[in-house]
Amino acid sequence: MANLIIQRLVYVAHVQRIPLLYNFTFLKPSDNVTLFVPKKSVKQCEDTCITWKCSCVLAGDRADDRFYLHAFLHEHMEDGCDVLFQHFDMFVDTRRLQRDVINLPRGITCMDFNATRRRTNWTWDHGADRECPRFAASHMKINQCCHGWIDFVYVPARYVSLLRKRLQASSKFHIEAAIATSVSDLPMVNMHCIGGCCSTVDFRKAQAAGCGHRVDLAYLAQAGNKSNSSTN
């Protein structure tokens, strides 16, 4: 199990941060890494990846395409590999992953279709209130929809083919409902990641916890510049 290759699929909103992902142990040049970037950043990403031996994929050209990343992810998930999808500012210590089950930052919340329809303030809307019940009923034969914090998801190789089909079928609604629902009937574990969507986390605290978001990459860049200046 430990020798299985982990395919890293990383959403990168700011490609100038790519070197930081390698310099601060988020990624290694020997990793199997595909970066999903906005249309305007593809060329810069490709130039940067010459050094780091990564590959770049267009992740849409609209501002809200980040909510539908799974529509692009499923095309690049490889059979025979464990798959780790993450945002670029999410630190995950892969040594702490439980390699035989789905790993998520925290737990997911599920509700039946009637509750989904009644809830007018659905947090991860973007079509989930309409499309998720259709997807869950037709493709999973279940009567509930789920949502959760999906800034990373780890998928063991044995579930990749199944999840790829489900992500393709759920591409019309928000990623944080689509992935949460798609994995809701699979064995999973909560990584108890620190942080969240709306504040930054110190990199050292994320390392200690084994998982954290949003890591303060701007601070890491400044720290790296100061370190380089002191050695020159």
Side-chain angles (χ1 to χ4, degrees), residues 27-46:
L27 303 170
K28 300 188 298 292
S30 59
D31 288 340
N32 176 2
V33 178
T34 300
L35 304 178
F36 292 79
V37 299
K39 183 177 181 179
K40 64 181 180 180
S41 304
V42 172
K43 180 61 169 63
Q44 185 180 354
C45 178
E46 291 173 340

Side-chain angles (χ1 to χ4, degrees), residues 76-95:
H76 299 276
M77 298 171 68
E78 299 178 4
D79 288 325
C81 296
D82 293 3
V83 174
L84 174 60
F85 163 68
Q86 67 188 91
H87 281 203
F88 72 108
D89 50 3
M90 166 70 81
F91 174 78
V92 181
D93 186 343
T94 57
R95 298 170 299 180

Side-chain angles (χ1 to χ4, degrees), residues 174-229:
H174 199 294
I175 187 171
E176 294 193 322
I179 290 182
T181 303
S182 293
V183 303
S184 63
D185 62 343
L186 301 176
M188 73 177 74
V189 65
N190 174 0
M191 283 279 286
H192 301 285
C193 298
I194 64 172
C197 69
C198 308
S199 61
T200 56
V201 169
D202 183 86
F203 176 61
R204 292 162 295 185
K205 292 182 179 179
Q207 280 185 307
C211 178
H213 180 263
R214 301 161 48 188
V215 171
D216 191 349
L217 294 177
Y219 172 81
L220 288 182
Q222 294 172 358
N225 290 335
K226 290 179 181 178
S227 176
N228 291 336
S229 297

Side-chain angles (χ1 to χ4, degrees), residues 29-167:
S30 59
D31 288 340
N32 176 2
V33 178
T34 300
L35 304 178
F36 292 79
V37 299
K39 183 177 181 179
K40 64 181 180 180
S41 304
V42 172
K43 180 61 169 63
Q44 185 180 354
C45 178
E46 291 173 340
D47 291 343
T48 304
C49 278
I50 293 174
T51 299
W52 301 109
K53 298 180 174 59
C54 42
S55 59
C56 304
V57 172
L58 172 65
D61 52 11
R62 301 175 304 170
D64 63 350
D65 277 336
R66 68 187 186 278
F67 301 134
Y68 303 94
L69 280 174
H70 54 302
F72 307 95
L73 290 177
H74 74 84
E75 299 178 3
H76 299 276
M77 298 171 68
E78 299 178 4
D79 288 325
C81 296
D82 293 3
V83 174
L84 174 60
F85 163 68
Q86 67 188 91
H87 281 203
F88 72 108
D89 50 3
M90 166 70 81
F91 174 78
V92 181
D93 186 343
T94 57
R95 298 170 299 180
R96 302 195 190 187
L97 293 170
Q98 294 191 31
R99 300 287 294 269
D100 56 342
V101 297
I102 303 291
N103 287 237
L104 295 173
R106 294 188 192 139
I108 59 175
T109 300
C110 300
M111 62 188 77
D112 65 38
F113 290 164
N114 290 331
T116 304
R117 294 189 180 101
R118 286 197 304 269
R119 186 174 173 177
T120 58
N121 63 334
W122 178 276
T123 307
W124 291 272
D125 189 1
H126 293 271
D129 55 340
R130 301 180 304 276
E131 297 295 337
C132 185
R134 298 173 190 170
F135 159 76
S138 61
H139 292 276
M140 297 181 63
K141 310 304 179 187
I142 59 176
N143 65 348
Q144 66 178 13
C145 287
C146 309
H147 60 81
W149 184 23
I150 310 292
D151 283 356
F152 100 82
V153 58
Y154 171 77
V155 185
R158 60 178 170 169
Y159 298 125
V160 166
S161 178
L162 174 63
L163 191 57
R164 186 168 53 222
K165 294 175 183 176
R166 289 180 176 179
L167 295 185

